[in-house]
Amino acid sequence: MKEQLLNDAEAKHLLPLAACIGSKFDRDLLMLLVEGLRSAETTLTENTITVGLDVDENLEHCQRKGYIDRVGSGNGYRFIHDRIQEAALAVYEADVRVGLEYQVGRILATKLPHDQLEAMVFTILGLLKNGLERSHMHDEEKVMLLNLNILAGNKAMSCSAFQPARNYFNAAIELLPEDAWGSDYQLTLDLYSSMVEAEYSVANFPAVQVLCDTVMKEAVVLASDKLRVCNVMIAALVAQSKPLESIDMALPVLRDCGCKIPRGILRVTVATVAGLFHTKFSRKMKSADILASLPISTDPTQAAVMKTLDRLATSAFVGKPDFFPIIVLKSLQWTFENGITLYSPAAFALTGLL
């Protein structure tokens, strides 16, 4: 098949591009690649893409020869057999093929709209990988690869592919500049938080601890921005049968966010009794209609605090039952003061349990 393609000028120029995209491809993507390669400053080889290449004519030719066929009634195509796709990739020597794959990946990464980029991000990273390993990356390439790995990691997490997601996020962290927290705070925070969640999802608790410590100890990180990793750390400690440690870790973060919870048996007892009386005779607890009329909170920080309180309620119930009522009552008080969040129904239910 490789020899046959080498002797077929129309096929050997077009099919390697199609093979880079995958077993299925469409005419518009091929047009994008051809135009991108023609305008590229670096020429891969005189035999790779010719100026006179006509995508439509070559597609018809390859279809007549039985290399590809149409998918549906649109502009989609597919290789008749995976061996044909493999042969198309093998038409060029390894160095030339790596250069072609890198150029194709770069064009797709820079030219595709976001929805198509997200759909093809795994393919694009695969195309770029070998080319980038063989060259010294410029800052522009590092930024491109950083954003692609974050996109791939988020997509993998949404598909519950936690181990690949962890690998993508780790690759992205390695590409961060030394002053990442100062130069791009939000991207760095989101990346570390996503990495913590990925490590937790594969039960790599030591890595969760290290990453959480990194975020918690970073001077520029706001208290409200620590809540996301704090919630993961609570879950990780509970999973390791360390609920008391999760409480000790989370209370200072909540305090810095304005949610103060008393410590010490006497203060906790007094606050619990007072809170129960206040709740029992509160006008807002008279009927479900009054609770339903509370405003909806639109502040993400308030919701994050409620999520942390919800996680701590589990820790307290398991490891420190005397502390459980004050956590529940604080959740209810926070709802009254700041509005309904996704975690408010649990606070109402736990109040009924008390």
Side-chain angles (χ1 to χ4, degrees):
M1 179 56 65
K2 176 182 173 181
E3 292 175 359
Q4 184 175 329
L5 292 179
L6 284 171
N7 293 320
D8 189 334
E10 292 179 287
K12 78 173 184 178
H13 292 313
L14 185 72
L15 290 187
L17 291 180
C20 288
I21 298 173
S23 60
K24 295 182 180 179
F25 54 93
D26 64 57
R27 181 246 183 207
D28 294 337
L29 270 182
L30 288 176
M31 289 292 294
L32 179 71
L33 293 178
V34 170
E35 293 301 322
L37 288 171
R38 284 173 181 166
S39 61
E41 295 180 1
T42 303
T43 303
L44 298 171
T45 173
E46 60 181 3
N47 295 322
T48 302
I49 293 295
T50 60
V51 177
L53 177 63
D54 186 300
V55 172
D56 291 323
E57 287 185 5
N58 283 34
L59 282 172
E60 291 181 8
H61 169 79
C62 292
Q63 193 173 358
R64 287 196 303 271
K65 296 287 286 187
Y67 302 135
I68 61 175
D69 63 2
R70 281 185 177 273
V71 177
S73 57
N75 291 324
Y77 294 85
R78 68 177 180 89
F79 282 96
I80 294 293
H81 197 280
D82 58 356
R83 290 295 186 184
I84 301 176
Q85 182 186 0
E86 292 176 17
L89 286 173
V91 163
Y92 300 111
E93 298 297 327
D95 289 342
V96 176
R97 183 171 67 252
V98 167
L100 174 64
E101 289 176 346
Y102 171 77
Q103 289 288 355
V104 169
R106 186 177 177 84
I107 292 168
L108 294 175
T110 56
K111 301 294 185 182
L112 287 178
H114 181 77
D115 57 336
Q116 288 182 275
L117 181 65
E118 184 178 15
M120 294 190 66
V121 65
F122 300 135
T123 299
I124 294 170
L125 279 172
L127 292 170
L128 291 172
K129 180 180 179 182
N130 292 331
L132 289 173
E133 285 179 348
R134 295 185 177 213
S135 65
H136 181 69
M137 282 191 288
H138 303 295
D139 289 342
E140 178 190 354
E141 291 172 320
K142 289 181 180 179
V143 171
M144 176 183 68
L145 198 60
L146 168 65
N147 290 323
L148 286 172
N149 274 291
I150 292 174
L151 184 62
N154 289 330
K155 184 176 181 181
M157 285 292 286
S158 69
C159 300
S160 299
F162 301 123
Q163 187 63 46
R166 172 194 172 279
N167 295 337
Y168 288 124
F169 289 139
N170 187 60
I173 287 177
E174 292 177 354
L175 291 165
L176 286 172
E178 292 183 5
D179 63 337
W181 287 105
S183 61
D184 201 334
Y185 172 80
Q186 194 59 52
L187 180 144
T188 306
L189 175 68
D190 290 341
L191 177 54
Y192 269 91
S193 300
S194 298
M195 183 66 175
V196 169
E197 292 166 350
E199 294 286 15
Y200 170 76
S201 298
V202 296
N204 189 359
F205 299 134
V208 171
Q209 181 72 64
V210 171
L211 290 164
C212 283
D213 288 345
T214 300
V215 176
M216 294 288 192
K217 294 176 181 178
E218 185 61 47
V220 300
V221 179
L222 302 175
S224 57
D225 290 335
K226 295 177 181 178
L227 288 172
R228 182 175 170 186
V229 297
C230 178
N231 289 331
V232 180
M233 194 65 216
I234 293 172
L237 289 170
V238 171
Q240 298 173 82
S241 301
K242 300 176 181 179
L244 295 181
E245 290 185 25
S246 71
I247 295 172
D248 293 336
M249 181 272 303
L251 290 187
V253 181
L254 286 172
R255 183 192 62 236
D256 293 341
C257 292
C259 182
K260 298 179 180 179
I261 299 174
R263 302 294 297 269
I265 186 63
L266 181 60
R267 290 183 178 182
V268 168
T269 302
V270 171
T272 298
V273 173
L276 285 170
F277 272 100
H278 181 268
T279 299
K280 184 173 180 64
F281 297 106
S282 171
R283 184 186 65 84
K284 295 177 180 178
M285 295 293 287
K286 293 298 182 182
S287 72
D289 291 337
I290 296 177
L291 291 178
S293 67
L294 292 173
I296 303 296
S297 175
T298 58
D299 187 340
T301 299
Q302 309 300 346
V305 169
M306 282 292 290
K307 182 175 182 178
T308 305
L309 290 170
D310 184 70
R311 293 282 177 90
L312 282 185
T314 301
S315 298
F317 189 83
V318 173
K320 196 173 183 180
D322 293 341
F323 202 66
F324 176 69
I326 194 65
I327 296 293
V328 174
L329 293 171
K330 179 59 72 171
S331 301
L332 192 66
Q333 177 191 349
W334 199 259
T335 295
F336 289 162
E337 293 176 354
N338 301 288
I340 298 285
T341 69
L342 287 174
Y343 303 93
S344 297
F348 297 148
L350 291 176
T351 302
L353 174 64
L354 292 181

